[in-house]
Amino acid sequence: MAINTEGFRVKNGSWKSEASQSVAKQGKQTHSEIVVYNALGQKNAGGPFLIKQDAFPCSECDGKFTGQSISVVFKITANNGSYSADHGLGQVMGAHQFPYYIWYHGGTKTAGTNQAAPAGFPAIPNVANV
């Protein structure tokens, strides 16, 4: 099952797609969201970034994003790979639970179906329309 990732940054007041990656193999490899995050950082090191993905970040990636100082929001549209379990949500999620958002900012993580940014997150365009 492929995991598809698309990365956006703010340009002229709206989200602009700037990077994408797909991973279809199992086993040790570069994680799709890390490839996209690195590509976005090369174009605009200051963020904030939006990563739209049809899978949750695995526990390894979750740890990396929690430790970043740049603000990143994930818009999760499906549960490919069943990595929702890495976030304490179990392996099976209903379609009504998507999109699911994960907000990483200043070493903290806020998650849920609320599309509004948590307190302290930089001002960004609406993520619901992406």
Side-chain angles (χ1 to χ4, degrees):
M1 173 180 309
I3 293 176
N4 302 294
T5 307
E6 186 175 10
F8 301 81
R9 70 180 180 99
V10 178
K11 188 170 183 181
N12 299 324
S14 61
W15 290 111
K16 181 176 190 245
S17 178
E18 298 249 328
S20 63
Q21 177 75 12
S22 291
V23 174
K25 298 184 294 184
Q26 297 218 355
K28 190 87 173 142
Q29 59 192 310
T30 304
H31 297 234
S32 184
E33 57 268 61
I34 299 300
V35 171
V36 167
Y37 174 76
N38 289 339
L40 291 170
Q42 290 175 353
K43 295 179 182 189
N44 180 18
F49 302 132
L50 167 63
I51 296 177
K52 184 177 178 182
Q53 186 166 274
D54 59 5
F56 284 81
C58 69
S59 59
E60 179 182 340
C61 291
D62 182 55
K64 287 180 181 179
F65 284 108
T66 300
Q68 295 296 316
S69 59
I70 294 175
S71 301
V72 180
V73 58
F74 271 77
K75 182 176 183 178
I76 311 299
T77 60
N79 193 21
N80 292 342
S82 298
Y83 293 115
S84 57
D86 290 359
H87 298 266
L89 301 170
Q91 288 189 322
V92 178
M93 294 181 67
H96 67 282
Q97 294 173 286
F98 295 102
Y100 191 91
Y101 299 92
I102 303 175
W103 304 85
Y104 297 98
H105 175 69
T108 62
K109 171 182 155 181
T110 305
T113 56
N114 188 355
Q115 66 191 23
F121 201 89
I124 55 172
N126 188 336
V127 296
N129 299 328
V130 176

